[in-house]
Structures are given as C-alpha cells and as structure tokens.
Amino acid sequence: MSALMGQMMQMPLMISSLIQHAARHSGSTEVVSKRVEGDMHRTTWAELELRSRKMAQVFARLGCQPGDRVATLAWNGYRHVEIYYGSSGSQLVVHTINPRLFPEQIAWIANDAADSVLCFDLSFLPLVEKLAGELKTVKHFVLMTDRAHMPASTTLAKLLCYEDMVAAEDGAYAWPSFDENTACTLCYTSGTTGNPKGAVYSHRSTVLHAYGAALPDAMNCSSRDVILPVVPMFHVNAWGIPYSAPLVGAKLVLPGPHLDGKSMFEMFESERVTFSAGVPTVWLGVLTYMKANQLKFSSLKRTVIGGSACPPAMMKTLQDDFGVEVIHAWGMTELSPLGTLSKLTSRQDHLSKEAQQRLLEKQGRVVYGIDMAIIDDAGKSLPWDGVASGDLVVRGHWVISSYFGKTESPMVTVDGEPGWFPTGDVATIDADGFMQITDRSKDVIKSGGEWISSIDLENIAMAHPAVHEAAAISCRHPKWDERPLLVVVKKPGAETTAADILGFFDGRIAKWQIPDDVVFVDELPHTATGKLQKLKLREMFKDHKLPTA
Ligand code: AMP
C-alpha cells in the first residue's frame, strides 16, 4: 500500500516572498533608519522591495553568479536590508561580517567565505582601505552611501557608489523561485575554539525561523508593532527581525551606529517603538540616561533580551520602574538564532509572583521548530526536574547540520539517536520545559554580547618571555556581563607585572578583548590528562574584583 500524498501547491519557502508580502499588503508601512550620515531616513516596505529588486539587478550587473557571497560591514539600516533581500532573493548569499572583530580576523573570515563583493558603511571606509590588500577574492567594493558622501580620494583601486548603482537600474526584475534549501545567508561564529566557523542558513530555515520568532509565545510580533532591533544585523541577522517584521507587516526602525542611551531613547519615543531586542549591555546605557533625566517610555511595551544572561535586577527595573515586559531568550548563531524564550503559560497562573519571576529569569521554553535535551557524558538524557544539569543539545528546522566548508559533522547522539547539535552550554530543564543555563562547557568569554576566545588570549600570553603558563577565564562584570581575567604562572626566576603582561596584548588583539586583570599563581589546576580545569579556575576566582567593575 502506498501512502496517499497531499494535493497541495508546492511553493518553495523563499526569502523574497517575505518582502513581496510586505510590499503588497503593508506597502505604505514605514522603514525608518538613522543613517551613518547622521540624518533620519524614511521609506516604506513597497519602496524597499523595489530597491531590493534593483540591488538584485546591481549584483547581476557586477557579474555575480548563483551562490556567490556578498559580504557586508554595516550597521542596521535600510540599505543593509536591501542587500539582504537583493542578494538572497537572487540566489546569492549575504555574508554579514562583524566589524567589531580584529582586522586580521575580518580578513580571515572574508577569505574563508571567498566573498566576491563587499558592501560597507561610510564608517568602515578606513578599515576596508587597510584590509583591501588582504582580501583575496573581493572583486567589487561598494560604499553604501550617495554621491554627495563619496570620499574625494581613497586608496581603493575602484570604489562603487551604492546610490549611483541603484539609480542606474529600473527594477524590472522578477524574483526567481528555486530550491528552498539553497543558501541565503552566511554568518560566522567565533563562539568555539579555533578559527571562526560559518553557519549557512537556507531560504527554508530562515522563513521557518521568521514564522517561529513572530509567534505570540516568542517575540509576539504583529502588524501593529513598531520594531527597533538594537541587536545588529551582523549578529545572526538581528535575531531574524529583518525577516519577521515584513512577515507580519510591522514598522521597522533601524538605529544605525547611534546606540548610546540618549539616541536610543529619542528613537524609541519619536518613532513610537513598541518592541525592541538586544543584549543586556545596551539597556544599561538607555536606563542610565533615562534615570538621570527622569524619563519614562510612552510606547515601548516589551523587549527580548538575550545573547547573554539577562541580570535579574535589569529585568526587574525594566518591568517595575519602566513598565516594559522583558522576554529573556537564549539562542546561538548555529540556531539562526532563536532557541528558547521565557514566557509564562496558563499552567503557571496559580504560582506566586516570586515563583513566576524566577521562571521568567530562566532562558525559557523552546519555540516550535526546536527540540532540546540535556545529556550526561555518556549521551544519556537527564530528567526534566529543574535540578539535574547536563550538556544542552538541540535539533530542529533552523539548526545547522554542518559548518560552511566542513565535511565533519558536529552532531552527537542522545539515547542512541544521532543528529543532535551540542550547544556547549550546560543547563537544567524543569517539568514545564523551562530551560536554565547554569554554565558553559565551551572555552570562551562573552563580553557585552561579543565573543572573546580564551585560547587566543592564552596563546598571546604564552608568547610573553616571562610566562610559563596562562589561562583566560571569564569573570562577572556589572556592565559587560563577563570580562576576561588572565591567570598566569611565571617562568622560574622571571620578573614581570600585570601591567607589563597587559601591555603585551596591545596590537595583538582588538583592544576590547584585552583582559581586565592578571593574577599570578604558583600553578594552574589540571585534569589527569593535562587539560586545564577551567571550571575549577572559574570557581577559584568567582569573587575576584576586576579593577573595571
Ligand atoms: P552566539 O552564537 O554569538 O549567538 O552565542 C551563543 C551563546 O551565547 C550561547 O551558546 C550561550 O553560551 C550564550 N547565550 C546566548 N543567550 C544567552 C542567555 N540568555 N543566557 C546565557 N547565555 C546565553
């Protein structure tokens, strides 16, 4: 007996369908951007869709072929959104590069991705001029500005003007339909040891993620919303908001590089923002400015905070003093990024306010499309009792299956069943499915939502002539959540100081990645196999007071 097949249309899930939908059904809804050039720019979904088609024509005119990578070094702005759609929608792959990385890392990533076009904001011109010689595959450099803001001179051999190129096209371009499993976006994560690795999202995974993210128990997005993603478009696609906003037809507000407390507050108010999303650190600036000036939000209703653990005090301040619902979320680059969000269900209605608050402080429950488990070292799943803690593993529609250019599978087996992605986080899960991150098994430090590789710090420290052994660990920090602390064993007879070692990092790594402090010890704890016991070290220095804290 053969199964009866469904008799439904086969419409591949295309990124371009999101913006087409917004143009057709919410065409006059605004997309507002605070530009790098300093002014506010206003457009609509209809206009943005037309300009995205023109960008698809621009990329074709530049000779791009299906699968080619279009890199961006850009803030949140309408031109960046046009590049997202113009490239992915025409079978190219948008590769968003994090401009906060060390220049050498940026060049490494661009070469690994074999980017053929690099589009960048005005603020990154000096960086691109410095890097151009290192970028082995980039054929075209596009400055995302108009003719009036093009530089009088540049060291780049040929610099193209974004607005000139858009103006030269007629937009007579029909979005093509193709296999929904085609790649649309490439995003590197430095969240593990070794070189950064690329997550390659598909049209299908991205559209499904956009659906999942918009659901009421997730970001709860609607056409009535005005959404301001503080999270950058180079951090896992601003958590999918450039896709979920057109899916529901919401107004989108893009802050560009203007992320200080005052600019953010003014944008929230002047554009009547209802929903925002970002890492905890950005809220500190906003709240400090608002408290100093005794200000209140008049339209902001809720915000998703994730990327790092949201401090309970911040959650309480936003909720109790400013009337903003905080939705604590957990995710990863490898998950496009949404995994869990903390929202109460009707099953928690009977709980006390304090018990409800404790649940909201957890990382939360999975969105449909993601499944999770916690496992022990033998790959056996652990009970969901809110106590047992184990390695968090996930699988689902928007979880990677392998990394860009790599053939080996990162997957692990759970209770004998293969195909689970190990997150490198350690967690508990309670009987209602609320997950709480309790530790991290991967050896990295996350400061203000950005990764710092412990291995990179240790390698630099070990090159110092007076250092015998070094370990970099994370220390709690009130502003940045975590900051690196370097624990050093000196060579016998060698003399050095903390300042001397910290000075050694200058020019070898991005300034913000340099450890905040150095402590000297006689020896570091090792396992029987000689591996550094980072957990033990973190425990030993958990009360260490950083000079910057
Ligand atoms: P990334 O790939 O840069 O998005 O980083 C993902 C990692 O950030 C996760 O594996 C966690 O270690 C950490 N992370 C993300 N969200 C949270 C959160 N809400 N609480 C604690 N850690 C988080």
Side-chain angles (χ1 to χ4, degrees), residues 115-365:
D115 296 327
S116 49
V117 181
L118 175 59
C119 304
F120 56 99
D121 272 335
L122 260 178
S123 31
F124 302 120
L125 179 60
L127 172 68
V128 174
E129 285 178 331
K130 192 167 145 194
L131 281 181
E134 308 293 317
L135 304 177
K136 300 192 177 75
T137 56
V138 175
K139 296 201 262 311
H140 306 286
F141 292 91
V142 180
L143 188 57
M144 293 160 65
T145 193
D146 54 19
R147 179 54 45 197
H149 291 87
M150 288 298 281
S153 68
T154 170
T155 56
L156 293 170
K158 190 166 175 220
L159 181 58
L160 301 167
C161 170
Y162 186 96
E163 289 301 334
D164 281 0
M165 291 197 302
V166 171
E169 303 299 340
D170 59 7
Y173 178 87
W175 293 113
S177 186
F178 44 88
D179 185 342
E180 63 184 16
N181 294 300
T182 306
C184 62
T185 312
L186 177 57
C187 236
Y188 277 73
T189 173
S190 44
T192 43
T193 52
N195 281 323
K197 298 195 200 85
V200 192
Y201 311 133
S202 68
H203 284 253
R204 173 186 161 83
S205 71
T206 306
V207 173
L208 290 175
H209 179 272
Y211 264 119
L215 285 171
D217 282 328
M219 292 190 179
N220 190 14
C221 298
S222 115
S223 61
R224 292 176 176 275
D225 271 316
V226 179
I227 308 181
L228 187 155
V230 189
V231 51
M233 290 171 68
F234 53 77
H235 266 181
V236 213
N237 304 325
W239 301 349
I241 289 173
Y243 303 116
S244 291
L247 179 139
V248 297
K251 172 177 164 181
L252 190 60
V253 182
L254 301 164
H258 311 276
L259 302 176
D260 60 287
K262 181 172 188 288
S263 308
M264 293 297 305
F265 177 76
E266 285 170 1
M267 260 178 287
F268 282 133
E269 288 303 299
S270 62
E271 298 305 325
R272 310 279 312 146
V273 172
T274 59
F275 170 55
S276 186
V279 296
T281 304
V282 297
W283 288 105
L284 282 178
V286 178
L287 295 179
T288 307
Y289 173 77
M290 289 178 70
K291 280 182 195 159
N293 295 282
Q294 294 177 334
L295 299 165
K296 293 272 176 222
F297 290 117
S298 61
S299 56
L300 189 66
K301 292 194 190 77
R302 65 192 194 287
T303 182
V304 167
I305 297 188
S308 285
C310 178
M314 173 180 287
M315 198 179 257
K316 264 191 94 52
T317 306
L318 271 162
Q319 285 168 178
D320 299 348
D321 303 348
F322 293 96
V324 177
E325 180 196 3
V326 174
I327 306 162
H328 190 197
W330 168 87
M332 298 180 73
T333 306
E334 287 90 337
L335 271 76
S336 315
L338 274 189
T340 63
L341 299 103
S342 209
K343 286 255 193 118
L344 301 177
T345 73
S346 57
R347 286 188 300 283
Q348 286 82 45
D349 282 350
H350 69 284
L351 295 178
S352 66
K353 275 262 159 297
E354 292 69 33
Q356 290 182 340
Q357 188 61 30
R358 278 198 297 280
L359 288 177
L360 292 173
E361 287 166 9
K362 294 189 176 193
Q363 277 73 8
R365 291 157 40 84

Side-chain angles (χ1 to χ4, degrees), residues 491-505:
K491 280 190 182 147
E495 276 312 319
T496 182
T497 60
D500 173 44
I501 291 186
L502 292 179
F504 191 70
F505 281 86

